C-alpha cells in the first residue's frame, strides 16, 4: 500500500528518452549528470522514488528533487545551477583593461612581451591576480617568438565567449 502523496506522472518523449539514455551511458559527462539521467530514466519507467533510490543507492529526497526538476525544467533542469559563494573582487572593467593592455600594447621598458610583474605594476593589481587572469583566459605572452598585438576592439568579449568568465 502506497503512502504519502501520489507521484505526478513523468512524461518523457521518445527523443528525450533517447537523449537521457545517451547521457546515462556516457563516460565523458560528469558523474553527477549521468546519475541524474539514470534517475529520470527509472522514474519514467513508472518506478517510485524509494525503488529508484534503492536501485541507484541514493536518498529518496535526491530522487524526488531530480524528478521534480526534470518535470518542471526538462533536460536543462538536470544541469548544475550556479551556487552562491564569495563575490568576485576584481570588477569586469579591470579584467578588460588588463587583457586589452596586454594584447594591444608593449611594456614601457622596451621588452618584447609583458611579464606578470610588469603588468601588475602598470595596472595596479597584484602579480597573483594577473597570473590568475592569464591562466583563466589561457593567455601566454611569454610563449610567443614575436608577440602579436590584437587591434580587435572586441577581443576581450570574444575571449570571454570562448573561454567563459574568469
Amino acid at each position: 500500500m502506497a503512502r504519502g502523496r501520489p507521484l505526478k506522472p513523468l512524461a518523457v518523449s521518445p527523443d528525450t528518452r533517447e537523449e537521457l539514455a545517451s547521457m546515462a551511458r556516457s563516460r565523458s559527462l560528469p558523474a553527477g549528470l549521468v546519475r541524474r539521467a539514470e534517475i529520470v530514466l527509472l522514474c519514467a519507467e513508472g518506478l517510485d522514488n524509494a525503488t529508484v533510490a534503492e536501485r541507484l543507492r541514493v536518498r529518496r529526497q535526491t530522487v524526488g528533487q531530480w524528478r521534480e526538476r526534470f518535470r518542471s525544467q526538462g533536460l536543462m533542469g538536470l544541469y548544475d545551477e550556479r551556487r552562491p559563494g564569495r563575490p568576485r573582487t576584481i570588477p569586469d572593467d579591470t579584467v578588460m583593461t588588463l587583457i586589452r593592455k596586454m594584447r594591444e600594447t608593449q611594456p614601457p621598458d622596451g621588452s618584447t612581451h609583458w611579464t606578470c610583474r610588469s603588468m601588475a605594476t602598470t595596472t595596479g593589481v597584484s602579480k597573483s591576480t594577473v597570473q590568475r587572469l592569464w591562466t583563466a583566459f589561457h593567455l601566454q605572452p611569454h610563449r610567443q617568438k614575436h608577440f602579436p598585438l590584437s587591434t580587435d576592439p572586441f577581443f576581450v568579449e570574444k575571449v570571454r565567449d570562448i573561454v567563459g568568465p574568469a
Side-chain angles (χ1 to χ4, degrees):
M1 178 173 176
R3 296 186 336 217
R5 288 186 300 223
L7 293 174
K8 296 175 184 167
L10 193 64
V12 179
S13 69
D15 292 338
T16 306
R17 185 179 298 273
E18 190 173 320
E19 180 78 22
L20 285 167
S22 172
M23 290 168 69
R25 287 189 309 265
S26 175
R27 296 206 179 266
S28 61
L29 289 175
L33 186 59
V34 171
R35 176 57 49 103
R36 295 169 205 154
E38 292 171 344
I39 289 171
V40 172
L41 279 173
L42 290 176
C43 289
E45 290 177 8
L47 300 176
D48 64 337
N49 290 357
T51 308
V52 174
E54 185 178 319
R55 192 176 288 184
L56 295 178
R57 295 189 175 138
V58 295
R59 295 173 49 218
R60 280 190 336 221
Q61 291 85 354
T62 302
V63 175
Q65 173 189 0
W66 293 113
R67 175 194 288 264
E68 186 56 34
R69 281 265 296 267
F70 180 79
R71 222 178 59 65
S72 63
Q73 299 176 17
L75 276 175
M76 292 310 295
L78 300 182
Y79 291 91
D80 283 330
E81 294 177 340
R82 291 186 55 88
R83 296 184 178 174
R86 182 175 182 216
R88 295 189 326 172
T89 57
I90 306 163
D92 284 343
D93 58 340
T94 303
V95 173
M96 288 176 32
T97 303
L98 188 136
I99 293 175
R100 270 208 184 100
K101 183 176 282 290
M102 189 204 71
R103 295 294 297 180
E104 296 173 358
T105 63
Q106 288 187 335
D109 63 356
S111 303
T112 58
H113 62 270
W114 287 98
T115 62
C116 288
R117 286 187 173 94
S118 63
M119 180 60 73
T121 56
T122 304
T123 58
V125 297
S126 70
K127 67 179 183 61
S128 302
T129 300
V130 173
Q131 181 62 45
R132 277 195 308 272
L133 291 172
W134 283 3
T135 302
F137 288 109
H138 304 286
L139 299 173
Q140 300 176 339
H142 60 284
R143 289 219 159 164
Q144 304 287 335
K145 288 184 180 175
H146 60 284
F147 191 67
L149 298 178
S150 175
T151 57
D152 185 3
F154 300 108
F155 176 75
V156 174
E157 289 81 6
K158 290 177 182 177
V159 168
R160 193 168 272 150
D161 286 343
I162 294 169
V163 176

